[in-house]
Amino acid sequence: MNTVQYKCPNCGAELTFDPEHQNFNCEYCDTSYTEAEMQQLYQNMEQQANQNADAAAETLESENDDKAFENETRLYTCQNCGAQIIAEAETSATFCYYCHAPVVLAGRLTGEYKPAYVLPFAVTRDAAVKKFHDWCKKRWFLPKSFTSEKQLEKMTGVYVPFWLTNCDAKADVTALAKKERSWRQGDYRVTETKEYAVKRLAKVPYRGVPADGSQKIEDALMDAIEPFSYDKMKPFSMKYLSGFMAQKYDVPYDQILPRIHKRIDTHAVKVVERSITGYSSHVVTSHNVQMENIRHDYVLLPVWFMHYQYHGKDYDFAMNGQTGTQAGTPPLSWPKALICSGVIAAAVIGLAILLGGYLFR
């Protein structure tokens, strides 16, 4: 396997992608390079690395090796310090654990695992940490260690594999609608209710319906940080991964499709319902939504992640790397909660005693 590291032509240090300015920076000589300059400098290197990786993959496939460990792990050599890096099969970009140089694992994102597009990070790490602090300030009962510097070091920018679906949804919706009117007649109020069978047929276009393609990431967590804006999407290039983590998908599209259909089914019915007007009320009695002209793209979308363990339980925090939208289930510090409950209880008892003494004077 080969690795690709983007070196500064000026001083030889590593180049990383800068989300704030959308360019590539060298932290040592403070030189910046545009996307066009990077394309000109490293296009040949990426092509050569992929050719070498493909050749190596063919050689490995010809060897009969059934050891589970070797099937589930990969070994890479850091070009910066010579250290060997072990990565999981799903990992496509990482850091050298010794010299902390960003390393892109060439060959992992070729063929069927090569994304069509990548959405570069727009939220910097400093901005992500600040947003996380602001998020935590609204939650009183967090453990102190949750916002410690040691914990914040674990916040990592990850390009998450997503499937984007384009299709036309053909929706057939039937509803029972009612019209009601009432009037007073002598000493009585009369109410008249008329029922109508309402039918709607519509074709609703959908573009870029997302679903993550990673088994390790909770689907609900990814749904909570949507939406992503695709207008900044770029044709895939490994240079955007420099300085970040990345994973290749481990859930194929055919397994994702039922989840996509469920999302489109729910949304399409709501869209069609909006056309049922002029009635006092209505209830959908049946519906059928079919997806037509289905097309999909495999893309990488930016997410800031932080994993936390507390009292034997795992907690995950995620932030949209483009918009800053945050989601997660924070841990609860029971000592803090109990102290707060005790203070409130003491205040209530004290107030009751005070009021009781005043009433019996």
Side-chain angles (χ1 to χ4, degrees):
M1 288 290 183
N2 291 272
T3 60
V4 176
Q5 289 176 303
Y6 296 90
K7 300 286 187 178
C8 174
N10 190 39
C11 70
E14 290 77 21
L15 293 173
T16 57
F17 180 70
D18 177 11
E20 182 178 6
H21 300 98
Q22 296 291 295
N23 58 18
F24 301 83
N25 288 345
C26 174
E27 296 181 356
Y28 293 88
C29 67
D30 200 28
T31 306
S32 298
Y33 298 89
T34 65
E35 180 181 354
E37 290 171 336
M38 288 288 289
Q39 183 71 13
Q40 184 176 3
L41 286 168
Y42 293 106
Q43 183 177 14
N44 293 335
M45 181 184 71
E46 291 183 7
Q47 292 175 349
Q48 185 61 44
N50 282 331
Q51 290 172 2
N52 294 341
D54 290 340
E58 291 176 2
T59 302
L60 287 173
E61 288 175 359
S62 65
E63 298 177 359
N64 184 17
D65 188 353
D66 58 358
K67 295 181 181 180
F69 178 78
E70 293 181 4
N71 288 338
E72 296 300 327
T73 61
R74 300 291 185 270
L75 190 65
Y76 302 89
T77 300
C78 175
Q79 294 180 348
N80 189 56
C81 69
Q84 290 185 317
I85 305 167
I86 295 177
E88 294 180 283
E90 291 80 12
T91 304
S92 56
T94 186
F95 295 94
C96 173
Y97 303 124
Y98 299 96
C99 68
H100 299 288
V103 177
V104 176
L105 310 180
R108 281 304 177 82
L109 298 174
T110 59
E112 64 177 314
Y113 291 112
K114 182 179 180 180
Y117 301 97
V118 58
L119 182 61
F121 274 84
V123 178
T124 65
R125 192 181 190 284
D126 289 342
V129 170
K130 183 180 183 304
K131 287 178 179 293
F132 176 72
H133 275 299
D134 294 340
W135 185 79
C136 290
K137 287 177 182 178
K138 301 175 183 178
R139 292 155 178 84
W140 293 355
F141 304 128
L142 291 173
K144 285 186 177 180
S145 58
F146 189 61
T147 55
S148 66
E149 289 299 323
K150 183 178 180 180
Q151 176 63 22
L152 290 176
E153 289 177 359
K154 300 177 182 178
M155 183 174 287
T156 307
V158 179
Y159 280 106
V160 176
F162 270 81
W163 295 104
L164 301 186
T165 298
N166 300 332
C167 72
D168 296 320
K170 184 179 179 182
D172 182 350
V173 178
T174 302
L176 177 64
K178 295 182 179 182
K179 283 186 177 181
E180 294 181 350
R181 68 188 186 96
S182 61
W183 64 92
R184 181 168 292 279
Q185 185 173 316
D187 295 332
Y188 300 94
R189 175 166 290 278
V190 179
T191 300
E192 178 188 76
T193 301
K194 292 183 179 181
E195 294 186 345
Y196 299 85
V198 180
K199 191 175 182 64
R200 292 288 188 271
L201 294 173
K203 183 173 286 188
V204 185
Y206 285 92
R207 301 294 179 264
V209 181
D212 70 274
S214 174
Q215 292 182 353
K216 297 182 179 180
I217 301 173
E218 186 180 355
D219 294 340
L221 189 62
M222 292 296 93
D223 293 346
I225 63 172
E226 292 179 13
F228 292 88
S229 179
Y230 305 136
D231 59 338
K232 301 295 184 182
M233 197 90 77
K234 303 284 187 180
F236 177 76
S237 173
M238 288 190 294
K239 59 179 173 285
Y240 292 108
L241 275 58
S242 186
F244 298 92
M245 303 285 286
Q247 282 190 314
K248 70 178 181 65
Y249 73 84
D250 55 7
V251 182
Y253 183 74
D254 60 346
Q255 294 182 24
I256 289 290
L257 194 55
R259 181 181 164 204
I260 294 292
H261 186 272
K262 184 177 180 180
R263 296 190 69 177
I264 290 178
D265 184 281
T266 301
H267 187 268
V269 172
K270 291 181 179 179
V271 171
V272 174
E273 274 193 274
R274 295 173 191 162
S275 68
I276 304 177
T277 59
Y279 301 96
S280 303
S281 64
H282 75 270
V283 176
V284 174
T285 55
S286 66
H287 74 275
N288 181 37
V289 177
Q290 296 181 352
M291 295 170 58
E292 300 178 340
N293 305 318
I294 302 173
R295 302 171 303 282
H296 66 271
D297 287 312
Y298 170 44
V299 304
L300 297 180
L301 301 183
V303 179
W304 285 102
F305 266 112
M306 190 171 70
H307 182 74
Y308 182 71
Q309 288 186 329
Y310 185 66
H311 287 181
K313 292 185 178 181
D314 294 332
Y315 298 88
D316 289 310
F317 169 85
M319 180 187 303
N320 187 313
Q322 182 193 40
T323 65
T325 301
Q326 304 165 76
T329 303
L332 175 65
S333 173
W334 284 107
K336 282 187 177 182
L338 291 174
I339 290 173
C340 183
S341 299
V343 171
I344 294 174
V348 171
I349 292 172
L351 182 60
I353 293 174
L354 181 63
L355 291 174
Y358 175 78
L359 291 174
F360 284 101
R361 285 182 183 177

